[in-house]
Amino acid sequence: MNTIAVLTSGGDAPGMNAAIRAVVRSAIEKGMRVMGVRRGFNGLMHGDIFEMTLRSVSNIIERGGTILYTARCPEFRTEEGVQKALNTCKYLGIDGLVVIGGDGSFRGARELSEHGLPTVGVPGTIDNDIACCDRTIGYDTAMNTIVEMVDRLRDTSESHDRCSVIEVMGRHAGYLALNGGIAVGATSVLIPEFEYDFERDVIDRMKRTRRTGKKNFIIVAAEGIKDEIEPMAAVIEEATGVETRYTNLGHVQRGGSPTACDRVLGSKMGYWAVELLSQDIGNRVVAQKDGKIVDFDIFEALSMEKHIEEREYKVAYDISI
Ligand code: F6P
């Protein structure tokens, strides 16, 4: 393999730059040329591509976001879009590709592999919802951001004897809400994976803990739960008499300098993706499983399921009384 390309796709995640850096440096070290593709599959379809050097990735390991920019790309889901991308690769002599992103991006990677372009996926999403992977790039940083932000909200909630309802990201997955909630000692955690009863799991818990002297409350909810989160604040205030404020942490969760864990994870997974391509192995997803860097067939990776165990969910409830 002489020339490989790298792109980032879907929502950005802190640590993606560490992965890009590892791809570029390790490929050049192996004697390959590396092309950077801007704005994910869009750039691949429209030829927004440049050659990267050892110095293109200097001083980026500590930066959040992605220096290659990112996009969600509906056009690439069509056969015509895939053909456009393949034509670009043929024209530029690109014979392997690293896709850093979430499972939507891996579907694109699988398409390209099936059309004969060896492609390797590297899991990067703050949601941690890639089934084959214990931890995705960006999750640890987002968790730490949530903890820092909620600790601040706790200060002001405590000063005013208030309740704080906090919405965190996770359209389909509750990892950030559950583990963020455990880390900040939330009274209730609401996630899409488990049925909850608002009256029992929020209102009654607040009343019960108030009887034991608790005066301020943190409720953490994932954006993907069945109910709207903002109106909960008024319902809680009405039912408990505790003044309640709503905060959506929003996109601050996706930014910021990556933690040491995400830098190391991004570096190792980016490095491993190039190891595979250098042996002409494509159609794989790199993952960290039981502490080790491994890889899976993309089709197999996409068909895997990851569940939050009920006993993990119970931890949040049983120790926040
Ligand atoms: O990156 C995944 C994610 O963070 C989801 O949790 C969230 O719903 C979504 O991205 C938000 O994406 P956008 O930036 O397109 O609003």
Side-chain angles (χ1 to χ4, degrees), residues 16 34 43 52 78 86 89 94 148 202 206 236 260 285 288 302:
M16 280 183 164
V34 188
M52 300 186 82
T78 64
L86 289 165
C89 292
I94 294 168
E148 191 192 329
V202 178
M206 282 180 63
I236 291 171
V285 172
Q288 188 181 47
L302 285 172

Side-chain angles (χ1 to χ4, degrees), residues 168-181 188-196 220-227 229 232 307-310 312-314 316-317:
V168 301
M169 277 190 172
R171 205 165 9 207
H172 306 293
Y175 292 96
L176 287 171
L178 176 60
N179 292 319
S188 302
V189 173
L190 308 176
I191 58 175
E193 289 86 345
F194 288 99
E195 269 297 315
Y196 58 85
V220 175
E223 63 171 318
I225 58 169
K226 61 181 186 330
D227 299 314
I229 301 163
M232 287 178 181
H307 298 288
I308 293 179
E309 284 181 40
E310 196 162 352
E312 287 179 65
Y313 185 59
K314 247 178 125 283
Y317 278 88

Side-chain angles (χ1 to χ4, degrees), residues 1 10 35 41 57 65 75-76 82 131 172 179 190 197 202 207 213 228 233 259 270 306 313:
M1 197 160 287
M35 312 300 278
F41 294 110
V57 291
E75 193 188 346
F76 186 70
V82 173
H172 306 293
N179 292 319
L190 308 176
D197 176 331
V202 178
K207 287 182 179 166
E228 262 192 78
T259 58
K306 183 168 170 178
Y313 185 59

Side-chain angles (χ1 to χ4, degrees), residues 11-12 72 125-127 169-171 223 251 254:
D12 62 342
R72 296 197 166 91
T125 162
I126 65 164
D127 291 348
M169 277 190 172
R171 205 165 9 207
E223 63 171 318
H251 284 78
R254 284 233 297 256

Side-chain angles (χ1 to χ4, degrees), residues 9 56 65 82 103 129 163 182 227 249-250 261 267 277:
S9 163
S56 321
V82 173
D103 52 6
D129 59 349
C163 170
I182 291 174
D227 299 314
L249 293 187
C261 283
S267 300
L277 286 179

